[in-house]
Amino acid sequence: MSDRIAHAVALLRAGELLAFPTETVYGLGADARNAQAVAKIFAAKGRPANHPLIVHLPDASHLAQWAREVPVEATQLARAFWPGPLTLILKRADGVSNSVTGGQDTVGLRVPKHPLALELLQAFGSGIAAPSANRYGRISATTAAHVQEELGDAVSLILDGGPCEVGIESTILDLSRGRAVILRPGAVRADDIAHVIGRKPEISIGLKTEEQQDHADAPRVSGTLAAHYAPRTALILVASGDITARTAALAAQGQRIAVLTCSDVAVDGMTARRAAADEPARYARDLYANLRDLDHAGCDMILVEAPPDNEAWRAVADRLRRAATGSGEADET
């Protein structure tokens, strides 16, 4: 065990917070068996106490310690995608704290695919509760520098594992109600899940009223509020064909405009621009870093070219829609 991992494990066992990299985003971690330590996560983030956390596990053999019911499909999916960006929602085992589950009878579990995270988890030997390492509702952190900017001295240690490879949060799949339902889209898509379990999961991510009605009994999970992943600068999604004209019109009004686009946009008066990849996985990897850069550009508004409306871009579109809803608002805490 390396010295930095030994130090990190000692901090966790002492009830302290640390930040660590995963393949998705950086997590703000505490011993998931220590309710007082978990409470520090909510205080550091300014996160409401009824919002459940995801417990990161060393490997799939720990499932039975955290879930009292592990359906066959959960075992199949863990075998196929763990370590990896898939969180499973299962009925919680006895002894799992309300502070982790938000008072619900379910718990979110995953095994992250990052060598430093796995080294930490295996050395710790138990579950680490870890939401994204950022202020509640704000842009997730995908580098150690982002964590320092967001949380500063609230974290006892930041393990620097470089930029996150996936760049957006894990897919959340609910298996707690006898059906397979995606509650948050991510890099593991519905077709990927169907290939393993032999049926396509339902999707309930708040896109349609009918979907919300169909899944009114769905458990609360991380990252699904209407406003989330948000910059402090107002953000507006603009149809691809309208981005140049909309930018020009706002710049002509004296607005300082920042633009995130896959297209060529060259407008007099545009303050900042970030070129986004035209492929969904690469776009997702850079998304939060791009939003942070534009948020720091001193602009009045961020215009984002809306991504294509198809399954491949569902996770990116979900993050952008929530970011737009919560943007331009001051922190409450």
Side-chain angles (χ1 to χ4, degrees), residues 121-186:
L121 283 158
Q122 288 159 8
F124 184 59
S126 185
I128 299 176
S132 55
N134 56 280
R135 296 288 296 171
Y136 177 67
R138 292 303 176 193
I139 304 169
S140 299
T142 54
T143 69
H146 295 164
V147 180
Q148 181 62 45
E149 174 190 337
E150 286 279 320
L151 299 175
D153 294 338
V155 184
S156 297
L157 176 68
I158 300 173
L159 292 174
D160 189 346
C164 298
E165 180 181 354
V166 174
I168 60 173
E169 296 78 4
S170 61
T171 304
I172 296 181
L173 182 71
D174 178 26
L175 294 175
S176 69
R177 297 171 292 153
R179 54 209 294 198
V181 184
I182 292 177
L183 301 181
R184 181 177 73 186

Side-chain angles (χ1 to χ4, degrees), residues 173 179-183 190 199-204 214-215:
L173 182 71
R179 54 209 294 198
V181 184
I182 292 177
L183 301 181
R199 61 187 174 111
K200 196 162 185 175
E202 302 166 50
I203 297 174
S204 178
D214 288 346
H215 297 281

Side-chain angles (χ1 to χ4, degrees), residues 20 33 55-67 70 74-75 77-84 86 88 90 108-128:
F20 64 97
R33 295 290 191 192
V55 178
H56 295 68
L57 305 178
D59 57 59
S61 70
H62 286 249
L63 263 175
Q65 299 176 33
W66 297 89
V70 182
T75 302
L77 290 164
R79 187 179 300 120
F81 297 115
W82 285 0
L86 176 67
L88 300 177
L90 303 172
L109 304 168
R110 90 174 183 102
V111 178
K113 189 180 182 181
H114 190 290
L116 195 55
L118 288 172
E119 185 182 0
L120 172 66
L121 283 158
Q122 288 159 8
F124 184 59
S126 185
I128 299 176

Side-chain angles (χ1 to χ4, degrees), residues 12-297:
L12 287 170
R13 290 179 177 156
E16 299 299 327
L17 299 183
L18 59 82
F20 64 97
T22 76
E23 78 283 19
T24 57
V25 298
Y26 273 70
L28 178 62
D31 180 356
R33 295 290 191 192
N34 183 336
Q36 291 181 323
V38 171
K40 293 180 181 180
I41 293 176
F42 292 90
K45 285 178 62 73
R47 180 185 178 105
N50 66 344
H51 285 237
L53 306 177
I54 293 171
V55 178
H56 295 68
L57 305 178
D59 57 59
S61 70
H62 286 249
L63 263 175
Q65 299 176 33
W66 297 89
R68 71 175 184 268
E69 297 176 9
V70 182
V72 171
E73 289 180 338
T75 302
Q76 293 171 331
L77 290 164
R79 187 179 300 120
F81 297 115
W82 285 0
L86 176 67
T87 294
L88 300 177
I89 304 297
L90 303 172
K91 294 289 188 182
R92 73 179 190 178
D94 292 341
V96 178
S97 171
N98 282 331
S99 60
V100 168
T101 67
Q104 300 179 113
D105 193 37
T106 55
V107 63
L109 304 168
R110 90 174 183 102
V111 178
K113 189 180 182 181
H114 190 290
L116 195 55
L118 288 172
E119 185 182 0
L120 172 66
L121 283 158
Q122 288 159 8
F124 184 59
S126 185
I128 299 176
S132 55
N134 56 280
R135 296 288 296 171
Y136 177 67
R138 292 303 176 193
I139 304 169
S140 299
T142 54
T143 69
H146 295 164
V147 180
Q148 181 62 45
E149 174 190 337
E150 286 279 320
L151 299 175
D153 294 338
V155 184
S156 297
L157 176 68
I158 300 173
L159 292 174
D160 189 346
C164 298
E165 180 181 354
V166 174
I168 60 173
E169 296 78 4
S170 61
T171 304
I172 296 181
L173 182 71
D174 178 26
L175 294 175
S176 69
R177 297 171 292 153
R179 54 209 294 198
V181 184
I182 292 177
L183 301 181
R184 181 177 73 186
V188 178
R189 300 175 186 168
D191 288 344
D192 302 323
I193 293 167
H195 182 73
V196 173
I197 65 175
R199 61 187 174 111
K200 196 162 185 175
E202 302 166 50
I203 297 174
S204 178
I205 56 175
L207 293 178
K208 297 179 180 179
T209 303
E210 308 90 80
E211 288 178 342
Q212 291 177 318
Q213 291 174 341
D214 288 346
H215 297 281
D217 60 339
R220 299 186 307 278
V221 297
S222 299
T224 55
L225 292 180
H228 219 79
Y229 319 110
R232 290 169 176 81
T233 308
L235 184 154
I236 297 176
L237 288 172
V238 180
S240 178
D242 298 336
I243 190 75
T244 299
R246 188 72 176 274
T247 303
L250 289 168
Q253 296 171 14
Q255 298 285 304
R256 295 165 298 171
I257 304 301
V259 177
L260 178 62
T261 175
C262 301
S263 307
D264 290 330
V265 176
V267 176
D268 289 341
M270 181 172 61
T271 303
R273 176 180 180 271
R274 289 292 178 274
D278 60 3
E279 188 274 324
R282 288 187 293 128
Y283 189 111
R285 182 193 63 201
D286 299 331
L287 174 59
Y288 293 144
N290 281 333
L291 289 182
R292 281 179 178 275
D293 285 347
L294 295 176
D295 199 21
H296 293 326

